[in-house]
């Protein structure tokens, strides 16, 4: 099976990265951390760019692309740490008025957790009322969470898109680690010249490439076991990659001003949201 990206897919990926770097670059990211409210203007711009309507047919006002293309877009969203219930709003396009255009913010109950409940116009997949939802202290400053009665496992398409976001975050922390290793000097040479740092970066690269192959393959085959494997590999790449990136940065990596901790915290939350890792392990065990 051929998994190389087409020219159109590369253009979609590069265009999404350019859009997000211009609209949600580091300045906007840090502003969102300081004031964690959902940017409705950004949400509508994403809708106008076709992010939420990507999978809808052209006859319904969508872009008419498939899940493989959606994975590429969500990988870039994970790389940029775009806040908000992106996955739930994307999956609601076509079912909920205004979701495709970005006029309606949709969140969903995954395994009893609801991200961005207070900012959402529509809540799907949970109990009829979320009035008794319990606010949680989220480790990720850009992902407020509430707890409601368990609403069952996460749909497989959501699992795959979350894996794509994890993949994007892992790729970004790899780039950050390599850049720092090249620029930071100790004892008259870049820290990347030291064997221990080389090994950390090499291990990060291996995890990213293995996860990328798994996520892209699952987007094509849509096989439940391959989606489960992609989820586990992407979670590992994102969480361990962020931790290794922090290690490469040394003491500076532990500071609030460095962006490394934001990737680590988002990776932790994504990995736990909806108990997807546990469900993925059960799917793989049943397939063996």
């Amino acid at each position: 099976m051929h998994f190389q990206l087409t020219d159109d897919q590369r253009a979609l990926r590069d265009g999404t990265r350019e859009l997000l770097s211009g609209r949600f670059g580091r300045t906007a990211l840090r502003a969102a951390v300081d004031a964690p409210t959902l940017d409705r203007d950004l949400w509508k711009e994403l809708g106008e760019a076709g992010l939420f309507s990507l999978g809808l047919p052209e006859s319904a006002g969508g872009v008419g692309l498939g899940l493989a293309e959606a994975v590429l877009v969500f990988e870039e969203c994970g790389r940029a740490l775009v806040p908000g219930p992106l996955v739930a709003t994307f999956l609601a396009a076509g079912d909920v008025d205004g979701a495709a255009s970005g006029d309606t913010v949709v969140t969903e109950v995954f395994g009893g957790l609801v991200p961005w409940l207070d900012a959402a116009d529509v809540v799907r997949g949970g109990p009829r009322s979320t009035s008794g939802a319990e606010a949680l202290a989220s480790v990720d400053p850009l992902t407020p969470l509430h707890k409601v009665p368990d609403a069952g496992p996460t749909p497989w398409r959501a699992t795959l898109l979350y894996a794509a976001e994890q993949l994007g975050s892992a790729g970004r922390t790899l780039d950050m680690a390599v850049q720092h290793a090249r620029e930071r000097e100790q004892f008259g040479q870049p820290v990347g010249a030291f064997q221990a740092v080389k090994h950390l970066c090499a291990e990060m690269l291996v995890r990213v490439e293995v996860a990328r192959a798994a996520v892209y393959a699952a987007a094509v085959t849509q096989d439940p076991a391959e989606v489960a494997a992609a989820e586990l590999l992407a979670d590992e790449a994102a969480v361990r990659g962020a931790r290794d990136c922090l290690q490469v940065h040394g003491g500076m990596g532990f500071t609030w001003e460095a962006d490394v901790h934001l990737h680590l915290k988002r990776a932790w939350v994504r990995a736990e949201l909806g108990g997807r890792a546990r469900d993925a392990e059960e799917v793989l065990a049943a397939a063996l």
Side-chain angles (χ1 to χ4, degrees):
M1 190 173 290
H2 187 61
F3 289 122
Q4 294 295 323
L5 300 183
T6 66
D7 291 341
D8 288 342
Q9 287 173 331
R10 291 191 185 92
L12 175 65
R13 179 197 61 193
D14 295 344
T16 302
R17 183 174 299 187
E18 182 178 358
L19 168 67
L20 294 178
S21 64
R23 185 57 180 83
F24 196 73
R26 188 175 189 277
T27 300
L29 171 64
R30 300 305 303 208
V33 171
D34 294 335
T37 57
L38 191 64
D39 187 341
R40 290 278 183 157
D41 291 335
L42 172 62
W43 206 255
K44 292 191 68 173
E45 288 183 42
L46 295 177
E48 292 170 0
L51 189 150
F52 302 122
S53 61
L54 196 69
L56 294 180
E58 295 182 21
S59 59
V63 184
L65 297 178
L67 192 58
E69 288 76 21
V71 160
L72 296 177
V73 169
F74 275 81
E75 181 181 353
E76 294 304 318
C77 291
R79 180 183 179 87
L81 288 179
V82 179
L86 296 166
V87 171
T89 302
F90 173 84
L91 295 177
D95 296 331
V96 176
D97 289 341
S101 63
D103 292 300
T104 301
V105 177
V106 181
T107 192
E108 191 156 0
V109 180
F110 293 136
L113 291 177
V114 192
W116 289 97
L117 176 62
D118 291 338
D121 303 307
V122 176
V123 181
R124 303 206 312 169
R128 297 193 176 194
S129 174
T130 56
S131 58
E134 175 188 358
L136 301 179
S138 176
V139 67
D140 177 12
L142 292 173
T143 309
L145 294 171
H146 281 75
K147 178 74 174 178
V148 299
D150 198 324
T154 306
W156 71 267
R157 286 205 303 161
T159 294
L160 182 59
L161 295 176
Y162 276 119
E165 287 190 309
Q166 293 282 61
L167 173 60
S169 180
R172 176 58 182 147
T173 53
L174 170 61
D175 291 347
M176 292 166 65
V178 171
Q179 180 181 357
H180 185 79
R182 287 173 174 168
E183 297 176 350
R184 176 67 172 172
E185 292 190 0
Q186 287 289 341
F187 306 109
Q189 60 182 327
V191 297
F194 298 106
Q195 190 175 43
V197 176
K198 289 180 180 179
H199 285 178
L200 283 174
C201 293
E203 289 167 0
M204 291 174 68
L205 175 62
V206 170
R207 287 194 295 266
V208 168
E209 290 304 314
V210 170
R212 177 172 288 116
V215 171
Y216 286 7
V220 174
T221 66
Q222 301 182 21
D223 178 82
E226 294 197 8
V227 172
E231 161 68 17
L232 295 173
L233 288 168
D235 279 351
E236 180 185 30
V239 173
R240 292 188 61 184
R243 291 173 64 183
D244 286 349
C245 179
L246 189 150
Q247 188 78 8
V248 170
H249 279 71
M252 188 181 74
F254 287 87
T255 64
W256 181 262
E257 288 74 17
D259 292 342
V260 183
H261 73 97
L262 297 176
H263 282 275
L264 178 58
K265 292 171 180 176
R266 181 70 64 86
W268 277 336
V269 169
R270 284 202 199 102
E272 295 298 325
L273 189 61
R276 296 191 323 280
R278 179 191 64 247
D279 295 337
E281 290 169 351
E282 292 295 333
V283 170
L284 282 179
L288 294 175

